[in-house]
Amino acid sequence: MSKAWQYIIEKNLNKDRLTEIISNVDSKRALTDVYPPKDEVFNFLKLTAFDDIKVVIIGQDPYHQPGQANGLAFSVNDGIKFPPSLRNIFIELNSDLGIDIPKSGNLTSWAKQGVFLINSTLTVEKSQPNSHSKFGWDELTDFLIEYISDNKENVVFILLGKFAQLKRPLIKSKKHLILETSHPSPFSVRRGFFGSKIFSKTNEYLLENGITPIDWRLS
C-alpha cells in the first residue's frame, strides 16, 4: 500500500492485530489456494490515494475462482470471463449511460480515478465464498470506510445489497451521498439494481459539488 495509507492505518489501528490477520492468511496459503494473490490483496489501497477518493463501492469478499480476484471489489483480471455480478454491472452501465460493455472486466481505470473498490473481507479460499469472513479483515475495512466518511466531504458511497448496506452506520449521510440498491447478482439484480442509474446519479452529484466526474468507460 502507499506510504500515506500505511501512515493512516498504523496511526489508528493496532499494528500487531493487522500483522496477526495477515499471518493467519499466510498460514492458509501454505495449505490451500487463497485469492487474490498475496501481492494484490491491498491493490485497492495501492491504486486509489486517499486524497483522490470520490466514490466508494463496497463489496463482500473477493471472487473465489482461479485468476479472478485482483484486489479490487467486483473487478477481474484481463482475459477473465465476467462473473455474473460484474456482467450485470456492465449491463446497467450500458442502460444508464449508453456505454458499451467492455472487453475486459479489470476496473483499474476506475480505481485510478478515485473509485475506492473495497471488499469487507480481503481474502477468500478457492471455491469457498466467505471462508475468511471471521479472520478480522472487517476491523480494517470498517475503519477505512468510517475514516473516509469522517475525513472527506461529498463522497458517493454505493451500497449494493444487504451486506454492504450494513455499513451505512459508518457513513455520515449529511455530508455524503449514499446510493443503496440490490446486489447485482442474478438472484437480486431485478429487485432494484437494474434501473438504479447509480452511475449517472454519481456523476450528477460530483458535478453539483464541483468535482470532476468519473469516466466509466473501459477498454
Side-chain angles (χ1 to χ4, degrees), residues 28 40 45 54 71 154 162 170:
K28 284 293 184 180
E40 295 182 356
L45 294 175
K54 304 174 183 179
N154 304 130
K162 293 181 180 179
L170 302 172

Side-chain angles (χ1 to χ4, degrees), residues 3-192:
K3 290 183 179 179
W5 276 120
Q6 187 173 356
Y7 173 79
I8 289 170
I9 291 169
E10 290 183 353
K11 182 181 178 181
N12 293 278
L13 289 179
N14 185 313
K15 186 178 180 179
D16 290 340
R17 176 58 177 145
L18 184 57
T19 299
E20 179 186 3
I21 295 169
I22 294 172
S23 177
N24 287 339
V25 173
D26 288 343
S27 295
K28 284 293 184 180
R29 287 188 190 277
L31 300 172
T32 188
D33 292 328
V34 174
Y35 308 125
K38 186 174 181 177
D39 62 349
E40 295 182 356
V41 170
F42 297 109
N43 268 355
F44 69 107
L45 294 175
K46 296 176 185 176
L47 293 170
T48 310
F50 173 77
D51 289 343
D52 295 339
I53 292 174
K54 304 174 183 179
V55 182
V56 176
I57 298 179
I58 304 171
Q60 185 164 335
D61 66 342
Y63 297 122
H64 53 82
Q65 294 302 316
Q68 292 181 324
N70 64 7
L72 302 174
F74 294 104
S75 177
V76 295
N77 287 309
D78 294 330
I80 299 297
K81 182 180 178 181
F82 301 161
S85 294
L86 183 58
R87 174 163 291 280
N88 286 335
I89 287 173
F90 291 147
I91 290 172
E92 175 59 23
L93 181 59
N94 174 261
S95 174
D96 186 6
L97 294 175
I99 294 174
D100 291 340
I101 293 176
K103 296 178 180 179
S104 173
N106 192 326
L107 306 182
T108 294
S109 70
W110 291 5
K112 289 182 176 179
Q113 293 180 73
V115 182
F116 196 64
L117 296 160
I118 182 173
N119 280 312
S120 181
T121 300
L122 300 185
T123 54
V124 70
E125 292 172 31
K126 181 180 178 180
S127 302
Q128 296 187 54
N130 297 320
S131 51
H132 288 189
S133 62
K134 304 298 184 183
F135 273 45
W137 281 124
D138 56 328
E139 297 173 34
L140 170 63
T141 55
D142 281 5
F143 160 73
L144 292 171
I145 293 167
E146 190 167 25
Y147 187 88
I148 293 167
S149 174
D150 289 347
N151 293 279
K152 293 189 73 72
E153 294 184 356
N154 304 130
V155 172
V156 181
F157 287 83
I158 300 177
L159 312 183
L160 302 178
K162 293 181 180 179
F163 184 86
Q165 289 161 16
L166 292 173
K167 308 301 182 183
R168 186 182 180 112
L170 302 172
I171 304 164
K172 290 182 167 60
S173 59
K174 291 184 178 179
K175 64 173 184 171
H176 302 291
L177 175 64
I178 300 176
L179 298 176
E180 297 182 81
T181 185
S182 65
H183 195 276
S185 78
F187 302 104
S188 58
V189 69
R190 299 187 183 280
R191 299 176 187 168

